[in-house]
Amino acid sequence: MADDNKPQAAQGNEQQQLQFSLQRIYVKDISFESPNAPSVFQQPFKPKVSLDLNTTSEQVGENLYEVVVKVTAQVAHAESGTTSFLVEVEQGGLFRIAGLEGEQLDHTLGAFCPNVLFPYARECIDNLVNRGSFPPLMLAPVNFEAMYAQKKQRQAEGSETTQ
């Protein structure tokens, strides 16, 4: 009977266990500019917000991946178009991921990990804007699942047109 269990044990060791852990969260790059201060404070604050959001990921070690959420917000006066401020944050995270491959790994890096990092980026932006003496810029939550699905759809459409 002991011999019957050996193949199952060997088979279990060959299958890699699913592992997911956040190793570190950090600010990779940060910038705040208020190019028209102090004149921007002498007019009523009527903001027009332009937001750009991007995610990247790369393998940096065995089962270790860096994911970066880059958020850029430019706020201008709605009527004059004068830039009130520009804030940019690259929020990074190191994730240990094992037992996922292909599409599952891509989905985890493209949607799940950014969902973990985005609240930290939002808080960082809000803090910078506050320190710049502007009202808080409370960014709405982002649906990274939808962004990931759109990215995959664009890639599929692009590959269909090249064939």
Side-chain angles (χ1 to χ4, degrees):
M1 271 192 136
D3 291 324
D4 291 339
N5 289 335
K6 283 185 181 179
Q8 288 176 343
Q11 191 177 29
N13 289 337
E14 288 175 16
Q15 275 189 328
Q16 192 173 20
Q17 292 281 330
L18 175 61
Q19 294 178 355
F20 180 89
S21 63
L22 177 59
Q23 301 294 299
R24 184 168 298 249
I25 294 176
Y26 53 93
V27 174
K28 189 162 182 155
D29 189 17
I30 192 168
S31 173
F32 179 87
E33 299 173 33
S34 183
N36 295 304
S39 64
V40 73
F41 300 118
Q42 297 170 345
Q43 56 187 332
F45 189 64
K46 297 180 181 177
K48 178 183 176 191
V49 179
S50 171
L51 188 66
D52 186 34
L53 186 64
N54 189 25
T55 64
T56 58
S57 63
E58 71 173 301
Q59 188 168 3
V60 294
E62 185 177 344
N63 298 326
L64 191 63
Y65 298 87
E66 179 189 49
V67 178
V68 177
V69 174
K70 181 178 180 179
V71 183
T72 304
Q74 182 171 358
V75 176
H77 190 274
E79 294 169 4
S80 69
T82 305
T83 298
S84 298
F85 64 85
L86 175 69
V87 62
E88 182 177 273
V89 171
E90 289 186 25
Q91 188 71 52
L94 282 178
F95 296 86
R96 184 160 307 280
I97 304 170
L100 291 179
E101 294 179 2
E103 187 64 34
Q104 287 181 320
L105 178 60
D106 190 50
H107 181 262
T108 299
L109 295 171
F112 185 76
C113 293
N115 273 325
V116 171
L117 296 174
F118 186 70
Y120 295 93
R122 278 179 28 172
E123 187 276 331
C124 193
I125 286 174
D126 194 44
N127 190 328
L128 286 170
V129 169
N130 186 279
R131 288 176 182 261
S133 186
F134 291 94
L137 181 66
M138 300 299 290
L139 298 177
V142 174
N143 186 343
F144 286 98
E145 291 287 337
M147 285 180 60
Y148 177 78
Q150 289 172 350
K151 178 182 172 185
K152 285 299 181 185
Q153 184 177 1
R154 283 192 303 271
Q155 287 175 347
E157 289 170 356
S159 67
E160 288 174 6
T161 58
T162 58
Q163 291 179 358

